[in-house]
Amino acid sequence: MSGRRQKNQYQLAFMGEAEGEAPCPFQQGIELLAAKRESKSPADDEQLMEEVCKRGNLMEAWKRVRVHKGSAGVDGRTINETRDDLREHWPTIRKQLPNGTYRPQPVRRVEILKPDGGTRKLGIPTVLDRLIQQAVHQVLQCRWDSTFSEHSYGFRPGRSAHQAVAQGQQYVVDGFGWVVDLDLEKFFDRVNHDILMDRVAKRESDKRWLKLIRAFLNAGVMENGSVGPTDEGAPQGGPLSSLLSNLMFDSLDRELERRGHRFCRYADDCNVYVRSRRAGEWVMKGIRHFITTRLRLKVNDSKRAVARPEERKFLGFTISNDEEPLRRIAPKALKRFKQRVRELTQRTRGVRIERMVESLARYLKGWRGYFRFCQMPRVLSNLDARIRRRLRMVIWRYWKTGRNRYAQLRRRGVPHARAAIAAGASNSDVWRMSRHAAVQQALPNAYFDSLGLPKVARPSST
């Protein structure tokens, strides 16, 4: 079978439809379409659902669903199984969407551990519902994004958590040395559907849109084998949740702007920067009242605070109150990192050192991609040294007996006297021995480089 025939064999039904472009470009740096209600005509609204069903938009949505992977929903169908079903059933689904008769299935409830303790409830839609949500998300994002506040950084094209942290740092540089740290209690579980749908209706008048989004919100949740209703909340886990959260918080952003505050918001994590504690207390009182009365959400009183930026974490970082404020990794983030490294370097895992380094490397590459944004290179260098020390300790344990340890050290070029002293040391303190000069000589940094162990610090700072 030719390569072309193999490719066509795996095409979905909508990939063979008439050519149509995605509703807007997704490349970074391309200007998004404006979404102002006054510039729209009724014809625009009537074409919205058709935009969702265009071939280019659906292909982009399917590509993103595949990239994000994810587990099956309540129907038990994987991505590949859903692909096979779509070849047969897509024409029917394609008719249901414009007609307003498409019915999403309930989401599958799963709980994951939160980094700082407790659990977070996620709702996993079926792969088909994820595809439809993603296609809807792409069209609405193009229409809405340019109307959102410039202080909103979460889940938006061309914006990132790093930008939010950098903006917070700039506020501190400008003399706003106190932060009002707001923490909403279970935002995704408490979103009021009527308030949210009112905000959608103010932007989109096509009733098919409103009906579809309401259907996703009210689809229900399957937990412990039974399906329960969802009268409030937006299941955290579907592609639409992030966009709807930005829409919900847009009124908070506008209120903060109206009051002239300097703030950064990333999803439900919002920091307001002020010049004094007294000003912060007044701001906290006013914002808390707005959130509870206008948005009908609950502020977590045990976690909210007015404090110095270095005392509060924001997206994994703190900002020092030095003469030149610097971005630092939050203590809790460092603690979680060290704990994860300990888990990945447990001797009881029973794997060879090469396999251990492989799994450790995957974690380190993702971690450094985010936390290298800090401005404390010595901290990163110390973490690299700590990781290598952990691995030396593991190898020292693998060598077990004094005779074998002596032989291994000598094989790696350690002089007789130094090797004998190290091999004869007590077996009770392997952590101390991991810093022994003989062990470091036998297992130098270059050895771990040869195994493919990445460094979290930048090369210039090592």
Side-chain angles (χ1 to χ4, degrees), residues 81 168 274 371 386 461:
E81 290 171 339
V274 295
F371 284 102
R386 183 183 183 88
S461 63

Side-chain angles (χ1 to χ4, degrees), residues 169-177 308 310 319-328 375:
Q169 180 185 16
Q170 185 59 51
Y171 290 143
V172 178
V173 170
D174 294 340
F176 296 85
R308 292 290 190 180
E310 64 187 5
I319 301 171
S320 69
N321 273 76
D322 302 328
E323 184 176 345
E324 182 182 354
L326 300 175
R327 299 185 298 270
R328 297 177 176 176
Q375 296 173 308

Side-chain angles (χ1 to χ4, degrees), residues 15 101 142 217 281 288 298:
M15 292 184 180
T101 58
C142 290
L217 292 175
E281 296 292 350
R288 184 178 183 279
K298 186 176 180 180

Side-chain angles (χ1 to χ4, degrees), residues 63-107:
K63 181 172 71 173
R64 295 194 176 199
V65 168
R66 287 187 63 98
V67 167
H68 293 154
K69 298 181 181 179
S71 57
V74 296
D75 61 356
R77 290 188 176 92
T78 64
I79 290 179
N80 289 335
E81 290 171 339
T82 301
R83 177 198 62 199
D84 297 336
D85 288 342
L86 283 174
R87 295 199 194 101
E88 179 181 355
H89 299 294
W90 175 250
T92 301
I93 300 170
R94 172 67 175 81
K95 294 178 181 178
Q96 291 175 347
L97 288 170
N99 292 339
T101 58
Y102 179 79
R103 291 293 178 269
Q105 297 190 61
V107 299

Side-chain angles (χ1 to χ4, degrees), residues 331-368:
K332 285 187 177 180
L334 283 174
K335 183 178 180 180
R336 288 196 298 270
F337 174 81
K338 294 175 183 178
Q339 176 61 33
R340 184 57 178 155
V341 169
R342 280 195 295 270
E343 293 171 356
L344 292 172
T345 55
Q346 286 286 348
R347 178 194 176 194
T348 54
R349 293 185 63 202
V351 298
R352 294 171 58 86
I353 192 66
E354 293 81 4
R355 291 288 302 277
M356 185 176 289
V357 169
E358 285 179 10
S359 59
L360 187 59
R362 288 192 292 270
Y363 173 70
L364 295 179
K365 288 176 182 177
W367 191 89
R368 76 178 182 185

